[in-house]
C-alpha cells in the first residue's frame, strides 16, 4: 500500500520536520558525502573563489522506510567546514542552527517537472521516465548563502500546497 503523500505547505522547513509534522518517520541513505570544488553556479552563489572546496551531500530521503526524494545539496564550506563530521543522516538544518549558529532564515525555490533518469528511477523505485517534481532551493541565513540544493520527489509521495492572495491595487 502506498503511503499518503507528504504535503509541503511551501514554508521553510527541513524534510525531517515536514515528515515529523505528518507522523512519518524520516531517515536518509547517504549516496555521496565529500568536500569538493563545486560547479561554477555553486561557487557563484556562495560568493567564493571557484577553487574553494565546499560540502557536497547527496541523500536518498525516506519516509517510513520508503523512498520519497533525492537531495543533491552543496553547503557553504566557509561557514560549516566540518559539517560532514556530524550526523547528516537527519536534519542538516538543525545541525546548521545548533552547531554553527547559521539557521536557515529564507530561501528561493524553483519548482519544475522532470522525467526520472535511470539512476533516479532505481533509487526512487519508479520506472524510468516517470514524472518527478524538481525543486531547486537557494537557502540563506540572513545575508549569508548557506545551501544550494537540487531535489527530485516522487509525485505520488509529495505534493506542494500554497495559499495565494490578491494584492490590492
Amino acid at each position: 500500500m502506498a503511503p499518503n503523500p507528504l504535503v509541503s505547505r511551501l514554508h521553510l522547513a527541513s524534510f525531517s520536520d515536514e515528515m515529523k509534522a505528518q507522523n512519518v518517520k524520516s531517515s536518509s541513505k547517504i549516496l555521496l558525502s565529500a568536500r569538493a570544488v563545486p560547479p561554477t553556479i555553486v561557487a557563484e552563489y556562495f560568493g567564493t573563489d571557484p577553487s574553494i572546496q565546499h560540502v557536497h551531500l547527496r541523500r536518498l530521503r525516506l519516509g517510513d522506510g520508503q523512498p520519497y526524494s533525492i537531495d543533491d545539496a552543496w553547503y557553504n564550506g566557509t561557514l560549516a567546514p566540518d559539517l560532514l563530521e556530524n550526523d547528516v543522516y537527519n536534519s542538516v538544518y538543525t545541525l546548521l542552527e545548533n552547531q554553527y549558529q547559521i539557521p536557515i532564515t529564507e530561501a528561493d525555490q524553483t519548482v519544475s517537472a522532470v522525467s526520472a533518469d535511470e539512476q533516479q528511477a532505481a533509487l526512487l523505485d519508479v520506472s524510468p521516465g516517470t514524472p518527478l517534481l524538481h525543486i531547486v532551493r537557494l537557502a540563506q541565513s540572513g545575508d549569508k548563502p548557506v545551501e544550494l540544493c537540487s531535489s527530485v520527489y516522487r509525485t505520488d509521495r509529495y505534493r506542494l500546497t500554497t495559499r495565494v492572495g490578491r494584492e490590492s491595487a
Side-chain angles (χ1 to χ4, degrees), residues 4-25:
N4 288 331
L6 173 67
V7 178
S8 175
R9 304 216 182 276
L10 283 180
H11 61 285
L12 194 52
S14 70
F15 178 84
S16 302
D17 288 342
E18 285 185 335
M19 297 293 265
K20 184 177 182 180
Q22 295 182 51
N23 296 315
V24 177
K25 183 177 179 345

Side-chain angles (χ1 to χ4, degrees), residues 108-112 134-138 148-151:
D108 292 317
Q109 293 187 143
T110 302
V111 181
S112 61
H134 181 221
I135 301 175
V136 175
R137 178 184 277 191
L138 303 172
L148 191 156
C149 184
S150 174
S151 301

